[in-house]
Amino acid sequence: MTSRRPARRTPQRATFPARGTYTEARRIASLLRKETVGGGLLVLMAVIGIVWANSPWADGYFALRDLEIGYEPWHLQLSLGAWAADGLLAIFFFLVGLELKREFVAGDLRRFSTAIVPVAAAAGGVAVPALFYLAVVGQDPALMRGWAIPTATDIAFAVAVLALIGSHLPSSLRIFLLTLAVVDDLIAITIIAVFYTDTIEIVPILLGLLTVAVYAVLAQRYRQFFRLKPAAAWLILLPLGGVAWAFVHASGIHATIAGVLLGFTIPVLHRRRDGVADTEPGLAEVFEHRFRPLSAGFAVPAFAFFSAGVALGGLEGFLSALTDPVTIGIVLALVVGKPVGIVAVTWLTTRIRGIRLDPALRWIDLVGVGLLAGIGFTVSLLVTELSFTAADPHHDHAKVAILLASVLAAAIASILLTSRNRRYRRIAQAEVVDEDGDGIPDVYQRS
């Protein structure tokens, strides 16, 4: 009797984004629609700030930006510009914390096989631009302090551009950009906390952590109460979060870190004992829905208005800024270093780990995403404030570089991805044929 050997099974290679993540397509599309509005307001307010700062009424702009309000005994007498950077951006970073928590608990980052690609790509998109910048500015310690300026990606701006031009791009490409941007923000937050904190006051930071802990206990224990009672979050959690922010601000750590910490405390999933269906949104998703209009509609545009206003000094001043090594380094790092770092590290990761990208994606699509990641607006402007003093000429030159690089990256990415979008539109309109039976439309294999 002849024994039959069992058929050898071909090991399955991991795919990014994983097939399961396509259930997020509707959420991604909804987020992109929201960010389109927020990105538009961001650009509008930045343009108003730049035009006003270079108009005959520029003195009024700078007087408004430098107007101080607040209570000095609590170290909270800040200019409006500082309130926007330290206070309003904490709302933006709170939402970043919510998104990070959701990705780690229920999104693509909860599994190592799918997390390794965007994490590695984001790391490449941070390290390579920093190296580009340092290669240009050389060994000057005064200039080297700005190494982190071109490492950040502006989520609102980048996904707004993608939403405007990418109606037919694969949903996996959108997921890749958002996951990449979320990890990029986590790295940027870490950089701010580690490299841009000179001194730490122990008592305020301990009080701040204690307040965050109380906030976390309330959010976790009474998650259904805060989910069903919108006013409760505004009346209880918001003031408590404000106290935590004030303590972190007094500690010497940049106050926006408080927003991230508070965001991480919000539960993503339901508890079994609450008897809530899994299809119902968790508290993190509910809070994101409630607070995103405040962030995208007011906090981030207000920060852009106060931070983007740079007195160029006319054509001569603009040309002078273009010759500054800081300007050259930031522009090259964002426009060239970002896509090179993201695409190169993604390619290496997929080869080393045996991971294949979704069959619908092409490497040219990832180049477009890498270019979009070169839009380093909001967080890059914040890091500029931390890198150079307002009296330093490099301070304004760095902002000019960020604005110029963001426009260039958005324009080049738009040209490339618009072309790819037309290709995917033709694919959608064409009759789908799968003659070889591999489950992948043949038209994708020819694109």
Side-chain angles (χ1 to χ4, degrees):
M1 183 175 179
T2 304
S3 60
R4 299 182 63 183
R5 306 176 78 183
R8 181 177 297 176
R9 297 182 63 183
T10 303
Q12 294 290 323
R13 298 176 65 191
T15 302
F16 182 85
R19 287 293 176 180
T21 61
Y22 282 105
T23 58
E24 298 184 350
R26 182 173 297 178
R27 185 185 73 87
I28 298 297
S30 175
L31 179 61
L32 286 170
R33 285 193 293 270
K34 295 175 184 176
E35 294 292 3
T36 303
V37 177
L41 286 173
L42 170 68
V43 174
L44 175 62
M45 295 306 294
V47 170
I48 292 174
I50 295 171
V51 172
W52 192 356
N54 290 276
S55 72
W57 307 278
D59 289 343
Y61 170 83
F62 293 109
L64 178 64
R65 186 194 65 183
D66 298 334
L67 177 65
E68 292 189 352
I69 59 174
Y71 190 55
E72 178 56 31
W74 292 354
H75 305 287
L76 292 178
Q77 185 172 344
L78 307 174
S79 67
L80 290 180
W83 274 111
D86 294 357
L88 292 180
L89 270 196
I91 302 171
F92 167 78
F93 278 101
F94 175 76
L95 289 171
V96 170
L98 290 178
E99 187 65 25
L100 280 168
K101 177 79 174 287
R102 189 196 174 284
E103 289 294 333
F104 283 125
V105 173
D108 287 330
L109 300 182
R110 74 184 185 277
R111 294 187 300 270
F112 179 81
S113 59
T114 53
I116 184 63
V117 175
V119 169
V126 168
V128 174
L131 293 175
F132 266 70
Y133 176 85
L134 293 174
V136 172
V137 302
Q139 300 298 315
D140 188 341
L143 304 187
M144 291 175 64
R145 185 168 172 79
W147 67 270
I149 295 173
T151 61
T153 295
D154 190 295
I155 294 180
F157 206 155
V159 300
V161 173
L162 184 64
L164 289 173
I165 64 175
S167 58
H168 289 78
L169 292 175
S171 60
S172 51
L173 189 65
R174 305 164 189 263
I175 294 171
F176 184 85
L177 173 61
L178 285 172
T179 309
L180 169 73
V182 166
V183 178
D184 189 290
D185 274 345
L186 176 60
I187 298 174
I189 292 162
T190 305
I191 289 173
I192 292 172
V194 174
F195 294 99
Y196 291 93
T197 299
D198 297 325
T199 59
I200 298 179
E201 298 291 336
I202 300 300
V203 174
I205 192 60
L206 290 178
L207 291 174
L209 292 176
L210 177 62
T211 308
V212 171
V214 173
Y215 184 101
V217 170
L218 291 176
Q220 294 286 337
R221 185 176 180 84
Y222 301 103
R223 63 184 70 186
Q224 295 307 320
F225 173 70
F226 289 118
R227 189 175 73 88
L228 299 174
K229 304 290 185 181
W234 294 97
L235 296 176
I236 300 174
L237 293 183
L238 183 60
L240 194 59
V243 173
W245 173 89
F247 280 131
V248 173
H249 181 272
S251 73
I253 299 175
H254 199 270
T256 53
I257 303 299
V260 181
L261 295 177
L262 294 171
F264 271 128
T265 68
I266 304 302
V268 173
L269 305 176
H270 299 290
R271 294 173 300 192
R272 291 184 179 179
R273 69 187 187 199
D274 290 330
V276 180
D278 292 337
T279 54
E280 291 293 318
L283 187 59
E285 188 174 348
V286 169
F287 275 14
E288 182 181 355
H289 176 74
R290 291 178 188 170
F291 293 115
R292 186 170 294 279
L294 179 61
S295 173
F298 176 68
V300 176
F303 167 76
F305 169 75
F306 285 116
S307 187
V310 178
L312 299 177
L315 179 60
E316 182 179 350
F318 180 71
L319 294 176
S320 174
L322 294 182
T323 61
D324 188 337
V326 169
T327 304
I328 298 171
I330 292 174
V331 172
L332 283 178
L334 286 173
V335 179
V336 180
K338 270 286 185 182
V340 168
I342 290 171
V343 175
V345 173
T346 301
W347 185 86
L348 286 173
T349 304
T350 56
R351 293 300 181 272
I352 294 173
R353 298 290 306 178
I355 300 171
R356 65 189 182 105
L357 294 179
D358 188 275
L361 294 180
R362 293 293 177 266
W363 286 103
I364 189 64
D365 299 329
L366 295 189
V367 172
V369 166
L371 286 165
L372 283 178
I375 302 174
F377 202 79
T378 304
V379 180
S380 291
L381 290 173
L382 174 61
V383 177
T384 298
E385 302 285 351
L386 303 175
S387 301
F388 304 112
T389 64
D392 190 335
H394 300 303
H395 176 273
D396 287 350
H397 291 175
K399 291 187 175 182
V400 171
I402 293 167
L403 299 174
L404 178 60
S406 297
V407 171
L408 286 175
I412 300 172
S414 297
I415 294 172
L416 175 59
L417 292 178
T418 297
S419 173
R420 295 299 297 166
N421 191 64
R422 286 197 294 266
R423 174 61 178 165
Y424 285 113
R425 182 186 293 113
R426 290 196 296 269
I427 291 174
Q429 294 172 347
E431 180 180 1
V432 177
V433 178
D434 184 20
E435 295 179 350
D436 55 10
D438 63 355
I440 303 173
D442 295 337
V443 70
Y444 274 124
Q445 301 175 11
R446 296 192 297 270
S447 62

